[in-house]
Amino acid sequence: MGRAVAWGHRLGATSCSGNAPWPCPCHIQQLDPENTGFIGVETFASLVHSHELPLDPAKLDMLVALAQGNDEGQVCYQELVDLISSKRSSSFKRAIANGQRALPRDGLLDETGLGFYKRFVRYVAYEILPCEMDRRWYFYQHRTCPPPVFMAAVTLTQIIVFLCYGARLNKWVLQTYHPEYMKSPLVYHPGHRARAWRFLTYMFMHVGLEQLGFNALLQLMIGVPLEMVHGILRISFLYLAGVLAGSLTVSITDMRAPLVGGSGGVYALCSAHLANVVMNWAGMRCPYKLLRMVLALVCMSSEVGRAVWLRFSPPLPASGPQPSFMAHLAGAIVGISMGLTILRSYEESLQDQCGWWVVLLSYGTFLLFAVFWNIFAYDLLGAQIPPPP
């Protein structure tokens, strides 16, 4: 504990008020009475506890580790502010990783007296994050607001849409065989490519109860924990990127086929998570991970097999070609590339990573190619698409 914390000179506060940044000058006078610019860690810890300053013990441990992880044993003021405000900071994470020996060695599994929700948060931490340091940081800084509303809202909308069409068509399995099904304004159909919203809204429609049940289960079991850890912006972007890549891939590789179901987004999330587990196999602490990995791969492969069978099974005369399976593969590719980059960047800024921009450039190039393909290729190739319903 002989190291010290350097405050820097970027306080910007002139008085101690409720809205002033912390620590304000009066705190600095207590922490550094000789105005040396440094403060001993033990002095800082005692003042934090005696004055009940807004820094919980877990963050205090991390601050000590941050000081000991630096070659000179110093922490700048901005890093302290980032710690208190739970702001993402790659430099903070690197310093914490270097100083992790100073943190308590007891894992989260040794925590006792937790309520139901905190136990669930701990479960999510061990399901998603491969590093004990990240798990502890997520567990102590997690807040219930904002809740993981995106995956829940998507799943609920899909269920409502399915129930509405099931009641209307009086058909709950293989709804695509019904001649009225393809008339929905949500379904992607090659004859309605000009209606651009269909490239996304097809995710709310499903072939039947079996596809909806599979997608909804994975969205809630994998999508919700991922959203809790990585945030709504990152996970919604990944999910929608998989959905859009799925419909555009079908428009290129299976030009006659329609498309329904959220499998593009689901496979983006699942493939990213499974790839992250494999690449961090030693660090993942989720129970029965090998068995669960095998079961997940078997279920995902079975769903692809069902989609392939449905695509090439003889359709009823009035129903036309059945939905394509290429969205599953496109979603998996998005998950392994873009999704893996996102999941490996917990508490780090994506904008600072060269790999993230390479992935975005590749995805943007694909989108641009797909747009031109849909505008020109169908006429140039003389594609015989089924008449739009």
Side-chain angles (χ1 to χ4, degrees), residues 190-191 193-194 251 255 371-385:
R193 298 189 315 280
S251 71
M255 300 169 66
V371 169
F372 278 95
W373 179 277
N374 278 272
I375 294 175
F376 301 108
Y378 279 73
D379 293 332
L380 292 177
L381 298 177
Q384 300 296 321
I385 62 175

Side-chain angles (χ1 to χ4, degrees), residues 212-267:
L212 173 65
F214 179 82
N215 287 347
L217 184 64
L218 290 181
Q219 286 172 178
L220 295 178
M221 292 184 61
I222 296 180
V224 170
L226 286 176
E227 186 178 346
M228 290 177 62
V229 173
H230 296 281
I232 185 173
L233 293 180
R234 293 187 176 190
I235 298 306
S236 61
F237 181 79
L238 175 59
Y239 184 88
L240 295 177
V243 170
L244 184 58
S247 56
L248 291 176
T249 300
V250 169
S251 71
I252 296 172
T253 61
D254 199 356
M255 300 169 66
R256 287 177 45 83
L259 185 62
V260 296
S263 298
V266 170
Y267 274 64

Side-chain angles (χ1 to χ4, degrees), residues 314-331:
L316 298 177
S319 61
Q322 291 300 299
S324 177
F325 59 89
M326 291 302 297
H328 298 71
L329 306 182

Side-chain angles (χ1 to χ4, degrees), residues 43-216:
T43 303
F44 175 77
S46 63
L47 287 175
V48 165
H49 291 301
S50 62
H51 289 269
E52 298 182 354
L53 298 178
L55 192 65
D56 61 51
K59 291 186 178 181
L60 177 59
D61 291 336
M62 292 182 180
L63 180 65
V64 174
L66 181 60
Q68 297 189 348
N70 187 279
D71 293 336
E72 300 178 359
Q74 299 176 352
V75 178
C76 70
Y77 171 72
Q78 188 59 48
E79 287 175 326
L80 174 65
V81 173
D82 289 346
L83 175 61
I84 295 175
S85 62
S86 301
K87 181 179 178 182
R88 294 180 186 270
S89 171
S90 57
S91 61
F92 171 77
K93 181 183 176 183
R94 287 194 298 269
I96 286 295
N98 293 333
Q100 58 183 327
R101 293 181 180 178
L103 290 180
R105 296 183 178 273
D106 295 337
L108 288 180
L109 294 177
D110 299 323
E111 295 277 355
T112 58
L114 299 177
F116 174 79
Y117 184 74
K118 292 300 290 184
R119 290 200 302 270
F120 178 68
V121 171
R122 181 176 61 182
Y123 164 81
V124 169
Y126 277 97
E127 283 291 311
I128 304 300
L129 296 171
C131 175
E132 182 67 21
M133 188 68 58
D134 288 341
R135 289 192 283 260
R136 292 186 65 84
W137 173 243
Y138 167 74
F139 179 80
Y140 287 113
Q141 68 87 37
H142 174 75
R143 299 293 181 268
T144 56
C145 186
V149 296
F150 175 76
M151 293 310 309
V154 168
T155 304
L156 180 61
T157 304
Q158 291 171 340
I159 293 174
I160 292 175
V161 170
F162 175 78
L163 292 176
C164 291
Y165 276 91
R168 176 184 173 185
L169 304 176
N170 195 25
K171 192 174 181 64
W172 305 97
V173 178
L174 296 178
Q175 290 183 347
T176 52
Y177 278 10
H178 197 288
E180 296 294 320
Y181 182 84
M182 288 298 172
K183 294 181 180 181
S184 169
L186 303 178
V187 173
Y188 166 79
H189 190 280
H192 290 308
R193 298 189 315 280
R195 302 175 183 178
W197 70 84
R198 290 175 178 256
F199 284 90
L200 284 175
T201 57
Y202 77 91
M203 71 179 185
F204 297 117
M205 304 289 290
H206 285 82
V207 171
L209 185 61
E210 68 286 353
Q211 186 189 27
L212 173 65
F214 179 82
N215 287 347

Side-chain angles (χ1 to χ4, degrees), residues 277-298:
V277 171
V278 171
M279 294 188 67
N280 299 279
W281 188 261
M284 298 301 294
R285 295 285 302 277
C286 48
Y288 308 109
K289 56 185 176 182
L290 179 59
L291 176 61
R292 293 165 64 181
M293 175 74 68
V294 172
L295 289 177
L297 293 176
V298 169

